[in-house]
Every structure is written in structure tokens, then in C-alpha cells.
Amino acid sequence: MDSSDMQRKKVAVIGGGLVGSLNACFLAKRNFQVDVYEAREDIRVAKSVRGRSINLALSYRGRQALKAIGLENQIVSQGIPMRARMIHSLSGKKSAIPYGTKSQYILSISRENLNKDLLNAVEKYPNVKMHFGHRLLKCSPEEGMITVLGSDKVPKDVTCDLIVGCDGAYSTVRRHLMKKPRFDYSQKYIPHGYMELTIPPKNGGFAMEPNYLHIWPRNTFMMIALPNTNKSFTCTLFMPFEEFEKLQTSRDVLDFFYKYFPDSVPLIGEQALAQDFFLLPAQAMISIKCSSFHFKSHCVLMGDAAHAIVPFFGQGMNAGFEDCLVFDELMDKFNNDLSMCLPEFSRFRMPDDHAISDLSMYNYIEMRAHVNSPWFIFQKNIERFLHAIMPSTFIPLYTMVTFSRIRYHEAVLRWHWQQKVIKKGAFFFGTLIAISSTYLLIRCMSPRPLDYLRRPWNWVTNFHNTTCFPANSMELLEQILNVISR
């Protein structure tokens, strides 16, 4: 496909959020004519909408996508490194669980600022046009046509060669594809909701340690806090809706927080907590899977439109950014041939996006409950030790997902294998220790251990004869030493 042919290709990107604006940059670099349609007004001039997440966790996959369009350094410089989880116990004790090695961290970044930076980057391309306040009414991929409604309230038909649906979990593009034969779709609302609160700065600085993702795990629910560049923390309370519904008054809220998150109350402030809790109701969280992600060579879904996931692995944005990067890599491989690129994108990407959806569900249980378990902490230490001595053979799940581009579904398979190795290893060493201990005990208790192995019915008699417990403790100690020395 020559340059003039590429210039004639028109692409309509539906959605000007994080994934949509990033995708527009990738497509513009390929010299397509790109039109981005966003239902909201331009966030660079509109007031911030309360209720949207203030900050997000940017990991390696997202950084690689930003690097491909030359924005990594700019975005990273605005983020706050988080190198570990900081666990807040009910008593107020804090303990850190590192994410990986000392050089590995995730970044807490402003969602709003990131979106603004991406929109600014998009507008630098002369072959991109932004259309804010334009809502998609109809999508007809077979005809290469969309119908949008702008501020003039007059429906407008637009023809294009490719429709890219980046319009979020409640995607209008996906809704039209659901009418097509053999398009599979499923959604699940989890029984937990979330609510955002704020820990303000203290004396001009952070009220807590800034380079951590703070977690208050309480088994069936939890609260987390991420640092912001303005020295505040965004707190998010995740809890079953039925628990939210029990908190009807300010007194209920304060009693609840003093019971389960006592160290957070002075940080948030009683008055602010009692007021902010009732500003907005708890929000729902949805998980969406669909198959496939494309329709012929005319339409493709990316980001939440293709695979909305719950936020507990911090991979929603990162998975969406990697969608854009994978699509760009496939466009290189197939020389911009959409008829080959789109089917391959669905085939390649679906197993990974479904896998991270499942992992995100699992990680909620880990964050709210498992981090309280001594066995979990011990297992994490074992994983770090094995990774240190066998870095290419044994890689912790979190490292594979967050600090590499190992495919999500391959990370899951590898994780299951590693779990089996750890469990079998623990069983083997446990058995070995038990056998060794038994052997040493028999050897210490018997003058002729092998003879007693042949005559086990005499063990009790031997134990009685060699360990008659005297009243005097010194005599007992001497007798024990005599038995051991035999």
C-alpha cells in the first residue's frame, strides 16, 4: 500500500478518552485521515467531573505504548513512583510488601492530566480532526458509515474505511456489533461498589509515606490510597453494596471508620469524612468480555469497549494502551492491510484480555484478604528468593503482569505451573524434615536404632525405661544428656 493510498484511508475513532486519543496518535503516524468523535466536551476547557478516578497506576505495558508515540518521558516525569504495598492493620501497624526489585515500581498519575496530554499530542498531527460534543447515534460497518449528533442537534452521516470503537464499557459501537451473527458478549456486575474520598496534604506535605500504594485490607472489603502530585491521596473504599446501605447517617460512617480504619480518620478529618461520604452514592463495577473484537475489515474494538475489567490489578488502562500498541505492531507486520490485521488482532488479543479480566477478579481477593495471611507473606518471600536465584525461570505473577510484556494468558499458565512447583517443593521438604526428625528421635532414644526399627512394639517400653521423669530438674537434664549421648 503506497503513501497516497494510505492518505485516502479515513478512520473514525469513537471516543476521545485515554485509549481513543492514544489510538488516534498511532493511526495518525501511519498517515491515515483520522477523525475523533467524543460525546463529552473538551476536558481541557470543561470543569472536572467529580466521581472520575483522580489517578491511575501506569505500569510497563502502558509506558511502552506511550514510548512508541514519544510521550513516555513527559508522562513519567509527572508521576509518583509506588514501589510497594503499604499494609495498614486494624491496630494501625504498617508493613510494606515490595512489588518487585528495588528498580521496579508503578506510577501514580493523574487521569485527567494524562488525557489532556494525549489530546494535545493528537492535535499536533495535521491529519487528525477532533470533534467534541459529538455523540454516536448509529454505526453501520458494512456500509462504512456512522451517524453522529453534534451540538447543532442535526444528525450527520460520515463515511470511513475503518471504525475504531474506544468508547468505554458502555460502548455504542459494541452495542451495534452485538446485533451481528456469532458475536459473543457477556457482562457481570460484581456485588461490590466503590466510593472515593480524599486525604488532604498535611503541613504542606504528604500525610503518609508517598511512594506506596496504601491498603487497608479487611477481608470482605478494603480501602486503598494513591498519592497525587498536589500532596493529597485519593482513597477508594471497595465494599459490598449491602454494607454501604447500612451507613445512613454521619454517625454511622464515623463509627464504621473508627472500627475498621481508625488510623485513616484523623488523616481524612471527621467533618470531611462525614460530608464527602454522602456526596455521591457508591459506584458499580462491571466486567465485560466479548468475542471477537472486530467485524470484517471495517470495525474494531479496543480498551474497555472490548474488555472492561475491574480495577484491582491496575491493568485497565495499561491493557487498553497495549491494545493500541499490539494493533500498531500488527499493522507493521501486515503492511497496513486491514483485512489481515483486524482478524489477527482479535485472534491474538482475546486470550490475553480475557485472562487479565480473570486476574483482576482474583487480585481483589488477594488485596482485601490474602495480604493479612502470614502464609501469603511467606509465599511472596519464597517467590522473590526463587526469582533472585532463577530470574529467567521463576517470575512472580505480579512481575509478569506489571513489569513485563509477557502475554497475560501466558503469565497465568506460567503462574499456575510455578504454584505447583512451590506446593510440591514445600511438600517434599516437609516430608524430608519429618522423616529426618523421626530418624533422629529414634536414634537418640535407642541404643540400637536399627534393631528397634525391626521391633517397633518395644518403642514404648524403651521410651519409658530411658525417660523416667525424676522430680529433680537437674537429674532430668542429666538423664536427657545421657540418652542423647548414647
Side-chain angles (χ1 to χ4, degrees):
M1 187 179 296
D2 60 28
S3 178
S4 61
D5 191 22
M6 283 190 290
Q7 288 180 356
R8 289 193 295 271
K9 291 286 185 182
K10 292 186 64 177
V11 180
V13 176
I14 312 302
L18 297 177
V19 174
S21 51
L22 177 67
N23 220 339
C25 291
F26 276 110
L27 293 167
K29 285 180 63 178
R30 295 191 170 276
N31 223 7
F32 291 112
Q33 178 60 49
V34 182
D35 288 272
V36 180
Y37 297 93
E38 169 57 48
R40 298 169 300 169
E41 296 301 321
D42 190 342
I43 64 170
R44 294 169 294 181
V45 296
K47 293 182 179 179
S48 298
V49 179
R50 180 173 173 79
R52 294 190 65 82
S53 183
I54 294 176
N55 45 17
L56 298 165
L58 177 67
S59 66
Y60 181 78
R61 297 172 195 268
R63 291 179 62 168
Q64 291 301 106
L66 293 171
K67 182 179 180 180
I69 61 168
L71 282 184
E72 182 189 19
N73 292 336
Q74 176 185 339
I75 302 303
V76 168
S77 66
Q78 301 172 15
I80 300 175
M82 298 184 294
R83 303 182 183 277
R85 296 166 170 167
M86 182 65 78
I87 309 302
H88 294 245
S89 70
L90 196 58
S91 65
K93 180 183 177 182
K94 294 186 284 189
S95 56
I97 304 177
Y99 282 127
T101 63
K102 291 182 179 179
S103 62
Q104 292 175 328
Y105 57 86
I106 57 178
L107 280 166
S108 175
I109 59 172
S110 164
R111 179 192 186 107
E112 183 176 343
N113 290 340
L114 175 58
N115 204 168
K116 289 177 180 178
D117 288 338
L118 286 170
L119 290 173
N120 290 334
V122 168
E123 290 190 336
K124 291 179 180 179
Y125 293 94
N127 51 324
V128 177
K129 206 170 184 182
M130 301 293 303
H131 305 270
F132 294 103
H134 280 67
R135 182 166 58 91
L136 180 67
L137 295 180
K138 186 179 179 182
C139 176
S140 303
E142 308 95 326
E143 303 169 12
M145 183 177 293
I146 61 173
T147 303
V148 294
L149 183 69
S151 57
D152 58 4
K153 305 301 179 183
V154 178
K156 179 183 177 183
D157 293 334
V158 179
T159 58
C160 52
D161 299 287
L162 176 65
I163 302 166
V164 184
C166 302
D167 48 342
Y170 302 99
S171 168
T172 304
V173 178
R174 186 186 64 236
R175 191 166 69 243
H176 283 86
L177 292 186
M178 288 167 61
K179 302 172 186 177
K180 306 299 180 186
R182 301 175 64 190
F183 185 92
D184 292 328
Y185 167 83
S186 66
Q187 72 173 44
K188 179 181 180 180
Y189 281 99
I190 66 172
H192 296 239
Y194 73 93
M195 177 178 290
E196 291 182 352
L197 301 165
T198 302
I199 293 178
K202 182 179 181 181
N203 299 324
F206 288 101
M208 300 185 296
E209 301 87 345
N211 298 118
Y212 297 89
L213 170 63
H214 292 262
I215 306 176
W216 289 259
R218 299 299 181 259
N219 296 320
T220 58
F221 53 89
M222 70 173 183
M223 186 169 71
I224 67 171
L226 277 74
N228 297 308
T229 53
N230 65 358
K231 310 297 184 183
S232 68
F233 285 86
T234 298
C235 298
T236 309
L237 174 61
F238 298 97
M239 192 164 65
F241 278 103
E242 59 189 26
E243 297 298 326
F244 277 113
E245 292 164 1
K246 293 177 182 178
L247 307 179
Q248 296 294 321
T249 67
S250 297
R251 188 70 260 166
D252 293 339
V253 172
L254 291 176
D255 288 345
F256 174 82
F257 270 77
Y258 272 119
K259 181 177 181 180
Y260 293 107
F261 312 113
D263 60 330
S264 74
V265 179
L267 300 174
I268 299 173
E270 281 193 4
Q271 185 176 355
L273 176 58
Q275 291 178 350
D276 292 352
F277 192 89
F278 297 102
L279 288 178
L280 285 173
Q283 304 296 302
M285 288 176 284
I286 190 172
S287 176
I288 290 173
K289 294 180 181 179
C290 64
S291 175
S292 59
F293 292 167
H294 78 287
F295 177 77
K296 297 184 179 179
S297 63
H298 308 307
C299 185
V300 65
L301 301 173
M302 294 190 196
D304 285 353
H307 49 81
I309 63 178
V310 292
F312 305 115
F313 222 120
Q315 287 295 300
M317 174 187 67
N318 293 287
F321 280 9
E322 193 175 44
D323 285 346
C324 303
L325 183 57
V326 168
F327 189 77
D328 188 64
E329 291 167 347
L330 292 174
M331 290 286 276
D332 273 339
K333 180 178 179 180
F334 295 112
N335 195 29
N336 299 308
D337 187 340
L338 297 176
S339 64
M340 297 184 68
C341 183
L342 268 64
E344 179 62 14
F345 177 76
S346 282
R347 185 200 67 80
F348 185 89
R349 195 62 182 157
M350 279 191 305
D352 296 324
D353 289 329
H354 291 175
I356 191 58
S357 177
D358 295 337
L359 279 176
S360 298
M361 288 287 196
Y362 159 78
N363 209 49
Y364 184 33
I365 302 172
E366 178 173 299
M367 291 176 72
R368 75 179 194 233
H370 291 177
V371 293
N372 289 322
S373 165
W375 167 247
F376 174 82
I377 305 300
F378 174 75
Q379 194 172 10
K380 287 294 180 185
N381 290 330
I382 292 294
E383 289 177 355
R384 282 198 293 272
F385 171 74
L386 293 175
H387 181 51
I389 62 176
M390 299 180 290
S392 59
T393 302
F394 198 98
I395 308 175
L397 174 64
Y398 196 89
T399 299
M400 289 189 283
V401 170
T402 309
F403 303 121
S404 82
R405 279 198 66 197
I406 295 174
R407 295 182 62 185
Y408 288 127
H409 86 278
E410 291 178 356
V412 172
L413 295 174
R414 193 164 178 170
W415 173 53
H416 288 318
W417 173 79
Q418 291 175 171
Q419 292 293 100
K420 288 181 181 179
V421 170
I422 290 177
K423 289 177 181 178
K424 288 183 179 179
F427 176 79
F428 171 78
F429 284 110
T431 303
L432 186 63
I433 290 171
I435 294 174
S436 302
S437 300
T438 303
Y439 172 77
L440 291 174
L441 179 63
I442 294 172
R443 186 172 182 82
C444 290
M445 291 172 57
S446 169
R448 297 191 303 274
L450 294 179
D451 184 51
Y452 268 90
L453 285 174
R454 299 187 189 96
R455 295 179 296 163
W457 54 86
N458 289 328
W459 291 359
V460 175
T461 303
N462 180 72
F463 180 83
H464 181 268
N465 292 337
T466 57
T467 58
C468 50
F469 297 96
N472 188 296
S473 59
M474 289 302 297
E475 291 180 12
L476 173 61
L477 178 60
E478 289 177 3
Q479 192 162 357
I480 293 174
L481 291 174
N482 288 334
V483 171
I484 294 175
S485 62
R486 288 176 183 174

